[in-house]
Amino acid sequence: MTAPYPIQFVKGVGPRLCERLVARGIRTPHDALYFFPKDYEDRRKLIPIRELKPGTTVPVRGKILSVQGGGKMFRAKKVLEVVITDGTGRLSAKWFRFHPSLVERFRAGESVTLCGSARWFRFFPEMHHPEILAEGDAADPVHSGRIVPVYPEVEGIPPRVLRRIQWEVVQRHASLEPECFPPGILARVGIPPLQESLASIHFPRDDADAERFRDFSSPQQRRLIFGELFALQWALALRRAGTEREEAIPLPWDRGIVDEIKRRLPFDLTGAQRRVVNEILRDLGKPHPMHRLLQGDVGSGKTIVAWIAAMVAWRHGVQAAVMAPTEILAEQHYRRFLELSAGLPVRVALLSAALPPKERDAVRKRIREGEGDIIVGTHALIQESVAFRNLALGVIDEQHRFGVLQRASLRRKGRISPHLLVMTATPIPRTLAITLYGDLDVSVLDEMPRGRLPVRTQVVTEDGRRKVFEEIRREISRGGRAYVVLPLVEESEKISLRDATRTSERLREAFPGVGVGLLHGRMKAAEKEETMRRFKDGDLQLLVSTTVVEVGVDVPEATVMVVEHAERFGLSQLHQLRGRVGRGTRPSSCYLITGGEQGEEAAARLSVMEKTADGFRIAEEDLRIRGPGDFAGVRQSGIPDLVFADIVRDASILNLAKEITAELQREDPALSAPHHAGIRRFLEMRTTSEGGENPALSSRD
Ligand code: ADP
Ligand code: MG
């Protein structure tokens, strides 16, 4: 027999309940303190039945008019219905599952207090499975007359029993939790001490603002949120400090290579590009690996920046690898780099799954033996069979398409940690970037190359299609190109494929004499490349595609982008698609076609696209509508889940936590000052995973 878990000694628990709590991860009173309510009910005052509103859970009190059903006889009605009135209206309470003894609790003529969420059925309010507040509850501080916590379910423990246990825990244990932050920090963030916060989060005081508790914005909840985000920022800062100690091959620039690069630039760099290039060259010259994220909206010109970095590496006789998420994009970078370096003895190589096995082996051999200087490729680059001779720089394009793991795999390809530049065109809202890429330095390309015309964007319904087709015809006859993009049908790739094939056939009929190409994920890499090349060269002028063109594709002649079923795309994705046009000097347009029933509603959501071309604003809007889960890479970020905090909702606390972390790292990185002992203990507890403010409990299910 092992010793019982300490939670068993809380009043009212005992062996059976203990077992169930332990099964939920609650072993100690401390665990229970960090098992937080997922919601609250304001039971401070009784609500007249007439004033009930749908959706809110409130107490009502009334006289019982009738009790029906619930009998034990064969064929008895399965529903127990109790009708009450309080003089302002009638309410029917219903139970669909219940213990037979429940019926005994109601007698016509007596009064009862019920607490539940009202809904309407044939004009009368109903409550399903309301909680019955016993008469004695009036003086009971746990269930009645207060803001009451609603806990996540613990299997086998009725909510009222669980609430009572939590009450006991809070009474005896909340005041024993040591505060770890010094008063100065608490004051600066505007949060109360831990003990008070814990007590209030479980059982808010009578004068509390129930709504703020419900949306997690009370100062007491912010105290816990701050703790979590502070620990997150600290972990990120440590990670970063770790890479600063690592060694790398320094790749300082010199006049010679800079002149060589300048001579070859096909255009003047934008101010932003110049700034970013300087940041990168400065990093590359250091004996520690660069870890830099280059964020730049679609079309801001990231490719050339990558090429410049690769050229500096070449100057030092070491290898650079550039990894892209799709075959099409890898091929495109490869060609661009070949063009840019023409006439120099730079050996650019392409490694992709599209190559026949023999050639692939040959390329791998060249990489291994150092006969390739700049190697462009897809995921193929990080496969085990690929070994570099002296990789010193890794560039990852469209980072959001890769996970942290792939980033790490590329780093491991160097004998010494290579410098790393990750680029993303998906404008990740700053708040999210902090957690996703908190260990990276960030450069931003916030300026578009000159001469770019804004892309005229229009949301159109079926009736507008004729006009769209006319525009396609006009543009193509002027020498332009057009894309028609179809969504991936999630249920079946087959349907998507059929849709795409059918659309391309229809368009071939509609546009006689126009070269219509078809591009989709099921095609062989070589076929994709071939189609892309023909589109680029103008042999094909209209390209029907699934979302494979979403990322990075650069065909400056393309001036029309048509997105079918635009309502099925996220706004950021549409922004990416729109970024495929407007890359040349001719005015371009983007048509978002929405059909079907939800036409109007979808049009309203999509209208953001008509109003702004700012990828960051669009991403924030997306984040607001769909939440962070949709941003690729979030789940793979390698950062522990936040239990209480939400980086979007709590962005302001996140930033404060970052500031405070930075100051502490400067002033007392070892946290050895006496007034920092609490913080040190807190961080240590969190990293040993036992105790701390963050047990492995989620209050969000
Ligand atoms: P992204 O940031 O989306 O990867 P690209 O690197 O593909 O953008 O660049 C988009 C287009 O803009 C390309 O055709 C590129 O040649 C062009 N471009 C990049 N920088 C400049 C510049 N400074 N001036 C003019 N055109 C530029
Ligand atoms: Mg790009």
Side-chain angles (χ1 to χ4, degrees):
M1 267 286 289
T2 50
Y5 291 101
I7 191 72
Q8 186 169 335
F9 303 117
V10 171
K11 192 173 152 204
V13 175
R16 256 195 35 213
L17 289 179
C18 174
E19 204 174 291
R20 289 168 180 169
L21 288 166
V22 168
R24 189 67 165 77
I26 304 170
R27 300 184 179 85
T28 62
H30 173 87
D31 291 344
L33 274 179
Y34 287 91
F35 185 70
F36 293 116
K38 62 173 185 189
D39 199 4
Y40 297 87
E41 290 172 15
D42 190 350
R43 299 187 183 174
R44 283 175 296 188
K45 81 179 197 285
L46 294 171
I47 302 295
I49 289 173
R50 198 184 47 212
E51 288 171 25
L52 284 174
K53 289 188 191 70
T56 53
T57 303
V58 289
V60 293
R61 184 172 168 77
K63 200 153 82 177
I64 299 174
L65 293 178
S66 65
V67 181
Q68 274 180 21
K72 275 176 279 181
M73 278 158 13
F74 187 60
R75 281 176 193 278
K77 267 175 89 175
K78 295 236 171 55
V79 181
L80 171 63
E81 179 177 16
V82 176
V83 179
I84 66 168
T85 176
D86 67 353
T88 73
R90 278 177 182 218
L91 173 86
S92 149
K94 289 181 176 169
W95 285 263
F96 301 92
R97 304 172 308 275
F98 51 91
H99 193 269
S101 69
L102 181 68
V103 184
E104 312 297 319
R105 299 185 62 172
F106 304 105
R107 265 191 233 316
E110 287 181 3
S111 285
V112 66
T113 309
L114 301 173
C115 184
S117 156
R119 59 178 80 196
W120 270 256
F121 181 67
R122 298 197 178 129
F123 305 109
F124 282 102
E126 292 189 351
M127 282 182 184
H128 294 178
H129 292 257
E131 189 174 329
I132 307 157
L133 304 186
E135 290 314 296
D137 274 2
D140 170 8
V142 181
H143 306 297
S144 300
R146 65 169 315 124
I147 301 172
V148 168
V150 180
Y151 290 96
E153 197 181 320
V154 175
E155 214 185 317
I157 306 184
R160 281 173 68 95
V161 175
L162 182 60
R163 195 182 294 138
R164 164 89 47 202
I165 294 170
Q166 291 294 68
W167 171 262
E168 291 298 332
V169 167
V170 169
Q171 296 314 301
R172 289 170 185 277
H173 299 274
S175 60
L176 304 178
E177 290 288 309
E179 175 55 67
C180 60
F181 293 108
I185 290 184
L186 297 182
R188 185 158 154 204
V189 185
I191 45 178
L194 183 62
Q195 297 87 343
E196 182 202 325
S197 298
L198 284 171
S200 290
I201 287 173
H202 289 282
F203 293 92
R205 291 202 322 237
D206 282 348
D207 57 356
D209 181 342
E211 280 316 304
R212 290 192 69 181
F213 272 90
R214 297 196 69 191
D215 60 22
F216 290 81
S217 66
S218 70
Q220 291 84 0
Q221 286 159 316
R222 288 167 65 93
R223 163 64 188 82
L224 273 294
I225 290 168
F226 175 74
E228 213 167 86
L229 294 175
F230 174 82
L232 169 72
Q233 292 294 358
W234 194 269
L236 292 172
L238 288 186
R239 230 203 243 183
R240 194 188 195 111
T243 63
E244 273 163 21
R245 278 194 300 274
E246 257 178 86
E247 277 182 45
I249 303 172
L251 307 172
W253 59 274
D254 58 71
R255 259 294 46 102
I257 187 65
V258 167
D259 289 344
E260 197 67 68
I261 289 168
K262 275 192 182 156
R263 241 197 316 280
R264 280 151 200 287
L265 288 177
F267 35 65
D268 289 334
L269 294 183
T270 62
Q273 280 169 325
R274 264 197 302 267
R275 190 185 66 235
V276 166
V277 165
N278 282 330
E279 286 166 353
I280 291 169
L281 295 190
R282 208 179 315 126
D283 284 1
L284 287 178
K286 292 182 191 161
H288 308 292
M290 164 171 80
H291 271 220
R292 190 167 283 280
L293 171 70
L294 172 53
Q295 250 188 0
D297 208 345
V298 182
S300 58
K302 295 183 289 297
T303 316
I304 197 87
V305 174
W307 175 73
I308 294 173
M311 288 297 284
V312 172
W314 166 71
R315 176 68 154 198
H316 287 269
V318 291
Q319 291 175 305
V322 179
M323 186 159 80
T326 63
E327 308 283 347
I328 293 176
L329 202 50
E331 161 98 10
Q332 180 181 290
H333 286 342
Y334 171 66
R335 285 177 187 281
R336 177 76 43 86
F337 284 14
L338 276 181
E339 278 164 30
L340 286 166
S341 342
L344 286 173
V346 181
R347 293 162 302 179
V348 186
L350 174 68
L351 181 67
S352 91
L355 297 175
K358 256 210 187 127
E359 271 181 58
R360 221 175 338 168
D361 282 343
V363 176
R364 279 201 285 254
K365 183 157 175 283
R366 287 169 57 201
I367 298 173
R368 196 168 52 240
E369 295 177 355
E371 282 163 29
D373 301 313
I374 301 178
I375 300 103
V376 183
T378 55
H379 293 79
L381 281 177
I382 49 172
Q383 276 163 2
E384 226 153 277
S385 52
V386 180
F388 289 82
R389 199 174 116 82
N390 53 7
L391 182 69
L393 168 68
V395 179
I396 300 182
D397 193 17
E398 308 295 348
Q399 148 78 17
H400 63 285
R401 286 294 186 100
F402 297 101
V404 171
L405 295 180
Q406 277 124 334
R407 203 162 96 199
S409 316
L410 185 60
R411 283 189 54 202
R412 277 198 296 276
K413 289 287 180 192
R415 273 196 205 110
I416 306 183
S417 282
H419 297 282
L420 202 62
L421 175 65
V422 300
M423 313 200 291
T424 181
T426 289
I428 296 153
R430 249 160 249 285
T431 44
L432 209 51
I434 294 175
T435 51
L436 281 181
Y437 306 120
D439 55 333
L440 301 178
D441 295 308
V442 180
S443 291
V444 183
L445 282 179
D446 50 7
E447 183 185 347
M448 286 290 167
R450 263 197 305 180
R452 284 285 162 76
L453 295 165
V455 177
R456 207 157 38 84
T457 304
Q458 218 181 329
V459 179
V460 284
T461 48
E462 275 308 318
D463 348 338
R465 192 182 285 277
R466 257 229 344 256
K467 222 187 69 202
V468 175
F469 276 29
E470 275 163 24
E471 165 128 6
I472 293 178
R473 196 167 287 130
R474 205 167 44 239
E475 279 302 301
I476 289 178
S477 68
R478 265 205 250 147
R481 316 275 152 76
Y483 296 98
V484 174
V485 176
L486 302 163
L488 210 74
V489 180
E490 256 182 41
E491 301 85 68
S492 151
E493 239 180 281
K494 258 201 200 132
I495 302 180
S496 306
L497 201 54
R498 209 177 54 216
D499 274 4
T501 314
R502 209 185 304 131
T503 305
S504 68
E505 278 159 12
R506 245 186 29 225
L507 290 172
R508 247 173 231 133
E509 279 166 31
F511 298 100
V514 169
V516 179
L518 175 60
L519 197 65
H520 57 77
R522 281 281 187 87
M523 282 161 72
K524 290 217 184 71
E527 287 176 304
K528 277 192 247 176
E529 265 166 34
E530 172 68 12
T531 306
M532 221 37 235
R533 193 157 39 236
R534 289 178 63 200
F535 184 62
K536 235 176 181 164
D537 295 346
D539 184 17
L540 300 172
Q541 298 99 34
L542 182 55
L543 189 63
V544 179
S545 169
T546 54
T547 47
V548 287
V549 297
E550 178 193 333
V551 161
V553 170
D554 185 36
V555 179
E557 292 82 7
T559 52
V560 186
M561 166 61 68
V562 179
V563 184
E564 298 277 356
H565 298 291
E567 73 280 356
R568 297 200 198 151
F569 294 85
L571 297 178
S572 290
Q573 216 180 353
L574 290 173
H575 181 64
Q576 285 284 326
L577 287 169
R578 177 167 63 183
R580 296 312 114 219
V581 296
R583 302 190 142 233
T585 44
R586 279 150 61 115
S588 299
S589 31
C590 172
Y591 295 100
L592 306 176
I593 300 186
T594 67
E597 309 266 288
Q598 316 93 354
E600 266 177 44
E601 199 183 308
R605 183 173 71 90
L606 295 176
S607 66
V608 178
M609 299 296 299
E610 294 177 336
K611 288 180 207 124
T612 181
D614 179 343
F616 279 89
R617 267 204 49 204
I618 289 169
E620 300 275 8
E621 185 69 16
D622 234 5
L623 195 59
R624 205 176 55 73
I625 300 172
R626 313 203 303 173
D630 275 335
F631 281 87
V634 171
R635 285 191 205 90
Q636 272 199 65
S637 65
I639 285 162
D641 281 346
L642 298 169
V643 174
F644 211 48
D646 174 323
I647 49 173
V648 178
R649 185 191 63 204
D650 305 322
S652 64
I653 310 180
L654 185 70
N655 288 331
L656 258 176
K658 188 176 188 188
E659 257 175 49
I660 293 171
T661 300
E663 286 167 24
L664 283 171
Q665 288 265 336
R666 255 196 320 274
E667 292 158 16
D668 184 14
L671 297 170
S672 45
H675 63 292
H676 291 153
I679 300 183
R680 200 176 62 226
R681 196 183 53 238
F682 165 63
L683 292 170
E684 277 165 3
M685 272 200 303
R686 279 189 64 108
T687 47
T688 54
S689 87
E690 280 301 316
E693 284 194 18
N694 184 15
L697 301 170
S698 170
S699 56
R700 290 232 186 97
D701 43 358

PDB file of all heavy atoms in Angstrom, residues 267-270 273 297-304 336 449 452 554 556 583, ligand 1:
ATOM      1  N   PHE A 267      17.723  45.479 -59.633  1.00  0.00           N
ATOM      2  CA  PHE A 267      16.967  46.687 -59.271  1.00  0.00           C
ATOM      3  C   PHE A 267      17.614  47.302 -58.040  1.00  0.00           C
ATOM      4  O   PHE A 267      18.463  46.684 -57.408  1.00  0.00           O
ATOM      5  CB  PHE A 267      15.502  46.342 -58.976  1.00  0.00           C
ATOM      6  CG  PHE A 267      15.317  45.001 -58.306  1.00  0.00           C
ATOM      7  CD1 PHE A 267      15.822  44.774 -57.024  1.00  0.00           C
ATOM      8  CD2 PHE A 267      14.670  43.953 -58.959  1.00  0.00           C
ATOM      9  CE1 PHE A 267      15.662  43.549 -56.410  1.00  0.00           C
ATOM     10  CE2 PHE A 267      14.521  42.713 -58.348  1.00  0.00           C
ATOM     11  CZ  PHE A 267      15.022  42.511 -57.076  1.00  0.00           C
ATOM     12  N   ASP A 268      17.218  48.519 -57.715  1.00  0.00           N
ATOM     13  CA  ASP A 268      17.687  49.116 -56.466  1.00  0.00           C
ATOM     14  C   ASP A 268      16.944  48.475 -55.315  1.00  0.00           C
ATOM     15  O   ASP A 268      15.722  48.297 -55.392  1.00  0.00           O
ATOM     16  CB  ASP A 268      17.390  50.622 -56.449  1.00  0.00           C
ATOM     17  CG  ASP A 268      18.279  51.358 -57.434  1.00  0.00           C
ATOM     18  OD1 ASP A 268      19.383  50.841 -57.716  1.00  0.00           O
ATOM     19  OD2 ASP A 268      17.856  52.419 -57.935  1.00  0.00           O
ATOM     20  N   LEU A 269      17.664  48.172 -54.259  1.00  0.00           N
ATOM     21  CA  LEU A 269      16.977  47.624 -53.089  1.00  0.00           C
ATOM     22  C   LEU A 269      16.097  48.710 -52.470  1.00  0.00           C
ATOM     23  O   LEU A 269      16.414  49.895 -52.539  1.00  0.00           O
ATOM     24  CB  LEU A 269      17.996  47.154 -52.053  1.00  0.00           C
ATOM     25  CG  LEU A 269      18.869  45.962 -52.448  1.00  0.00           C
ATOM     26  CD1 LEU A 269      19.780  45.583 -51.285  1.00  0.00           C
ATOM     27  CD2 LEU A 269      18.023  44.766 -52.861  1.00  0.00           C
ATOM     28  N   THR A 270      15.010  48.281 -51.872  1.00  0.00           N
ATOM     29  CA  THR A 270      14.194  49.246 -51.126  1.00  0.00           C
ATOM     30  C   THR A 270      14.947  49.590 -49.844  1.00  0.00           C
ATOM     31  O   THR A 270      15.865  48.867 -49.428  1.00  0.00           O
ATOM     32  CB  THR A 270      12.837  48.634 -50.721  1.00  0.00           C
ATOM     33  OG1 THR A 270      13.085  47.528 -49.856  1.00  0.00           O
ATOM     34  CG2 THR A 270      12.051  48.171 -51.926  1.00  0.00           C
ATOM     35  N   GLN A 273      14.808  46.711 -47.527  1.00  0.00           N
ATOM     36  CA  GLN A 273      15.713  45.619 -47.904  1.00  0.00           C
ATOM     37  C   GLN A 273      17.141  45.945 -47.485  1.00  0.00           C
ATOM     38  O   GLN A 273      17.858  45.092 -46.967  1.00  0.00           O
ATOM     39  CB  GLN A 273      15.648  45.363 -49.415  1.00  0.00           C
ATOM     40  CG  GLN A 273      14.434  44.536 -49.829  1.00  0.00           C
ATOM     41  CD  GLN A 273      14.248  44.512 -51.339  1.00  0.00           C
ATOM     42  OE1 GLN A 273      14.519  45.512 -52.031  1.00  0.00           O
ATOM     43  NE2 GLN A 273      13.782  43.387 -51.862  1.00  0.00           N
ATOM     44  N   ASP A 297       5.743  41.099 -45.932  1.00  0.00           N
ATOM     45  CA  ASP A 297       4.478  40.807 -46.595  1.00  0.00           C
ATOM     46  C   ASP A 297       4.751  40.235 -47.987  1.00  0.00           C
ATOM     47  O   ASP A 297       5.845  40.374 -48.535  1.00  0.00           O
ATOM     48  CB  ASP A 297       3.653  42.094 -46.685  1.00  0.00           C
ATOM     49  CG  ASP A 297       2.163  41.790 -46.710  1.00  0.00           C
ATOM     50  OD1 ASP A 297       1.806  40.628 -46.943  1.00  0.00           O
ATOM     51  OD2 ASP A 297       1.375  42.726 -46.505  1.00  0.00           O
ATOM     52  N   VAL A 298       3.744  39.608 -48.521  1.00  0.00           N
ATOM     53  CA  VAL A 298       3.826  39.041 -49.853  1.00  0.00           C
ATOM     54  C   VAL A 298       4.360  40.076 -50.847  1.00  0.00           C
ATOM     55  O   VAL A 298       3.851  41.188 -50.898  1.00  0.00           O
ATOM     56  CB  VAL A 298       2.410  38.621 -50.301  1.00  0.00           C
ATOM     57  CG1 VAL A 298       2.455  37.975 -51.657  1.00  0.00           C
ATOM     58  CG2 VAL A 298       1.805  37.702 -49.282  1.00  0.00           C
ATOM     59  N   GLY A 299       5.390  39.707 -51.582  1.00  0.00           N
ATOM     60  CA  GLY A 299       5.886  40.603 -52.619  1.00  0.00           C
ATOM     61  C   GLY A 299       6.850  41.673 -52.129  1.00  0.00           C
ATOM     62  O   GLY A 299       7.272  42.532 -52.896  1.00  0.00           O
ATOM     63  N   SER A 300       7.236  41.605 -50.868  1.00  0.00           N
ATOM     64  CA  SER A 300       8.124  42.645 -50.342  1.00  0.00           C
ATOM     65  C   SER A 300       9.575  42.409 -50.745  1.00  0.00           C
ATOM     66  O   SER A 300      10.436  43.254 -50.517  1.00  0.00           O
ATOM     67  CB  SER A 300       8.000  42.731 -48.817  1.00  0.00           C
ATOM     68  OG  SER A 300       8.300  41.492 -48.231  1.00  0.00           O
ATOM     69  N   GLY A 301       9.853  41.261 -51.360  1.00  0.00           N
ATOM     70  CA  GLY A 301      11.191  41.031 -51.892  1.00  0.00           C
ATOM     71  C   GLY A 301      12.147  40.344 -50.933  1.00  0.00           C
ATOM     72  O   GLY A 301      13.256  40.809 -50.690  1.00  0.00           O
ATOM     73  N   LYS A 302      11.743  39.174 -50.456  1.00  0.00           N
ATOM     74  CA  LYS A 302      12.597  38.448 -49.516  1.00  0.00           C
ATOM     75  C   LYS A 302      13.653  37.614 -50.235  1.00  0.00           C
ATOM     76  O   LYS A 302      14.740  37.394 -49.714  1.00  0.00           O
ATOM     77  CB  LYS A 302      11.736  37.540 -48.623  1.00  0.00           C
ATOM     78  CG  LYS A 302      10.801  38.310 -47.713  1.00  0.00           C
ATOM     79  CD  LYS A 302      10.008  37.410 -46.796  1.00  0.00           C
ATOM     80  CE  LYS A 302       8.948  36.615 -47.522  1.00  0.00           C
ATOM     81  NZ  LYS A 302       7.899  37.444 -48.146  1.00  0.00           N
ATOM     82  N   THR A 303      13.309  37.151 -51.444  1.00  0.00           N
ATOM     83  CA  THR A 303      14.206  36.229 -52.133  1.00  0.00           C
ATOM     84  C   THR A 303      15.597  36.821 -52.340  1.00  0.00           C
ATOM     85  O   THR A 303      16.610  36.152 -52.120  1.00  0.00           O
ATOM     86  CB  THR A 303      13.604  35.835 -53.495  1.00  0.00           C
ATOM     87  OG1 THR A 303      12.223  35.547 -53.315  1.00  0.00           O
ATOM     88  CG2 THR A 303      14.302  34.626 -54.066  1.00  0.00           C
ATOM     89  N   ILE A 304      15.623  38.058 -52.755  1.00  0.00           N
ATOM     90  CA  ILE A 304      16.910  38.670 -53.063  1.00  0.00           C
ATOM     91  C   ILE A 304      17.770  38.791 -51.794  1.00  0.00           C
ATOM     92  O   ILE A 304      18.992  38.669 -51.835  1.00  0.00           O
ATOM     93  CB  ILE A 304      16.689  40.060 -53.739  1.00  0.00           C
ATOM     94  CG1 ILE A 304      17.965  40.523 -54.440  1.00  0.00           C
ATOM     95  CG2 ILE A 304      16.237  41.103 -52.760  1.00  0.00           C
ATOM     96  CD1 ILE A 304      18.083  40.025 -55.846  1.00  0.00           C
ATOM     97  N   ARG A 336      16.130  31.561 -60.263  1.00  0.00           N
ATOM     98  CA  ARG A 336      16.440  32.946 -59.932  1.00  0.00           C
ATOM     99  C   ARG A 336      17.907  33.074 -59.514  1.00  0.00           C
ATOM    100  O   ARG A 336      18.625  33.964 -59.963  1.00  0.00           O
ATOM    101  CB  ARG A 336      15.504  33.403 -58.803  1.00  0.00           C
ATOM    102  CG  ARG A 336      15.721  34.798 -58.273  1.00  0.00           C
ATOM    103  CD  ARG A 336      15.196  35.902 -59.175  1.00  0.00           C
ATOM    104  NE  ARG A 336      13.889  35.646 -59.759  1.00  0.00           N
ATOM    105  CZ  ARG A 336      12.718  35.910 -59.176  1.00  0.00           C
ATOM    106  NH1 ARG A 336      12.692  36.430 -57.977  1.00  0.00           N
ATOM    107  NH2 ARG A 336      11.599  35.653 -59.786  1.00  0.00           N
ATOM    108  N   PRO A 449       8.565  47.201 -52.976  1.00  0.00           N
ATOM    109  CA  PRO A 449       9.348  47.788 -54.067  1.00  0.00           C
ATOM    110  C   PRO A 449       8.531  48.875 -54.756  1.00  0.00           C
ATOM    111  O   PRO A 449       7.309  48.772 -54.838  1.00  0.00           O
ATOM    112  CB  PRO A 449       9.579  46.602 -55.004  1.00  0.00           C
ATOM    113  CG  PRO A 449       9.515  45.409 -54.135  1.00  0.00           C
ATOM    114  CD  PRO A 449       8.521  45.743 -53.061  1.00  0.00           C
ATOM    115  N   ARG A 452       4.887  49.470 -57.448  1.00  0.00           N
ATOM    116  CA  ARG A 452       3.814  48.486 -57.300  1.00  0.00           C
ATOM    117  C   ARG A 452       2.480  49.191 -57.244  1.00  0.00           C
ATOM    118  O   ARG A 452       2.311  50.153 -56.507  1.00  0.00           O
ATOM    119  CB  ARG A 452       3.974  47.721 -55.981  1.00  0.00           C
ATOM    120  CG  ARG A 452       5.039  46.699 -55.962  1.00  0.00           C
ATOM    121  CD  ARG A 452       4.637  45.454 -56.729  1.00  0.00           C
ATOM    122  NE  ARG A 452       5.824  44.694 -57.028  1.00  0.00           N
ATOM    123  CZ  ARG A 452       6.459  43.972 -56.138  1.00  0.00           C
ATOM    124  NH1 ARG A 452       5.991  43.882 -54.923  1.00  0.00           N
ATOM    125  NH2 ARG A 452       7.547  43.332 -56.445  1.00  0.00           N
ATOM    126  N   ASP A 554       6.069  33.429 -58.271  1.00  0.00           N
ATOM    127  CA  ASP A 554       6.340  34.773 -58.767  1.00  0.00           C
ATOM    128  C   ASP A 554       6.316  34.807 -60.287  1.00  0.00           C
ATOM    129  O   ASP A 554       7.269  34.431 -60.953  1.00  0.00           O
ATOM    130  CB  ASP A 554       7.720  35.213 -58.246  1.00  0.00           C
ATOM    131  CG  ASP A 554       8.037  36.651 -58.611  1.00  0.00           C
ATOM    132  OD1 ASP A 554       7.100  37.473 -58.617  1.00  0.00           O
ATOM    133  OD2 ASP A 554       9.208  36.945 -58.887  1.00  0.00           O
ATOM    134  N   PRO A 556       5.518  37.763 -62.750  1.00  0.00           N
ATOM    135  CA  PRO A 556       5.152  39.181 -62.788  1.00  0.00           C
ATOM    136  C   PRO A 556       4.114  39.530 -63.855  1.00  0.00           C
ATOM    137  O   PRO A 556       3.398  40.516 -63.720  1.00  0.00           O
ATOM    138  CB  PRO A 556       6.477  39.888 -63.081  1.00  0.00           C
ATOM    139  CG  PRO A 556       7.536  38.930 -62.664  1.00  0.00           C
ATOM    140  CD  PRO A 556       6.961  37.564 -62.880  1.00  0.00           C
ATOM    141  N   ARG A 583       2.633  41.910 -59.172  1.00  0.00           N
ATOM    142  CA  ARG A 583       4.068  41.792 -58.994  1.00  0.00           C
ATOM    143  C   ARG A 583       4.828  42.499 -60.104  1.00  0.00           C
ATOM    144  O   ARG A 583       6.028  42.644 -60.034  1.00  0.00           O
ATOM    145  CB  ARG A 583       4.469  40.321 -58.968  1.00  0.00           C
ATOM    146  CG  ARG A 583       3.751  39.593 -57.885  1.00  0.00           C
ATOM    147  CD  ARG A 583       4.302  38.200 -57.671  1.00  0.00           C
ATOM    148  NE  ARG A 583       4.260  37.980 -56.241  1.00  0.00           N
ATOM    149  CZ  ARG A 583       5.283  37.607 -55.508  1.00  0.00           C
ATOM    150  NH1 ARG A 583       6.444  37.373 -56.060  1.00  0.00           N
ATOM    151  NH2 ARG A 583       5.149  37.460 -54.219  1.00  0.00           N
TER     152      ARG A 583
HETATM  153  P1  ADP B   1       8.404  37.714 -51.465  1.00  0.00           P
HETATM  154  O1  ADP B   1       8.800  38.609 -50.346  1.00  0.00           O
HETATM  155  O2  ADP B   1       6.919  37.553 -51.543  1.00  0.00           O
HETATM  156  O3  ADP B   1       9.130  36.413 -51.474  1.00  0.00           O
HETATM  157  P2  ADP B   1       9.824  38.099 -53.920  1.00  0.00           P
HETATM  158  O4  ADP B   1      11.172  37.979 -53.377  1.00  0.00           O
HETATM  159  O5  ADP B   1       9.266  36.945 -54.675  1.00  0.00           O
HETATM  160  O6  ADP B   1       8.793  38.505 -52.792  1.00  0.00           O
HETATM  161  O7  ADP B   1       9.764  39.424 -54.804  1.00  0.00           O
HETATM  162  C1  ADP B   1       8.590  39.798 -55.466  1.00  0.00           C
HETATM  163  C2  ADP B   1       8.914  40.454 -56.788  1.00  0.00           C
HETATM  164  O8  ADP B   1       9.463  41.740 -56.548  1.00  0.00           O
HETATM  165  C3  ADP B   1       9.933  39.696 -57.585  1.00  0.00           C
HETATM  166  O9  ADP B   1       9.545  39.739 -58.927  1.00  0.00           O
HETATM  167  C4  ADP B   1      11.211  40.470 -57.353  1.00  0.00           C
HETATM  168  O10 ADP B   1      12.090  40.347 -58.429  1.00  0.00           O
HETATM  169  C5  ADP B   1      10.696  41.878 -57.202  1.00  0.00           C
HETATM  170  N1  ADP B   1      11.523  42.740 -56.355  1.00  0.00           N
HETATM  171  C6  ADP B   1      12.106  42.427 -55.186  1.00  0.00           C
HETATM  172  N2  ADP B   1      12.768  43.485 -54.678  1.00  0.00           N
HETATM  173  C7  ADP B   1      12.601  44.491 -55.541  1.00  0.00           C
HETATM  174  C8  ADP B   1      13.040  45.861 -55.586  1.00  0.00           C
HETATM  175  N3  ADP B   1      13.798  46.381 -54.621  1.00  0.00           N
HETATM  176  N4  ADP B   1      12.668  46.600 -56.642  1.00  0.00           N
HETATM  177  C9  ADP B   1      11.906  46.092 -57.617  1.00  0.00           C
HETATM  178  N5  ADP B   1      11.466  44.822 -57.658  1.00  0.00           N
HETATM  179  C10 ADP B   1      11.800  44.031 -56.635  1.00  0.00           C
END
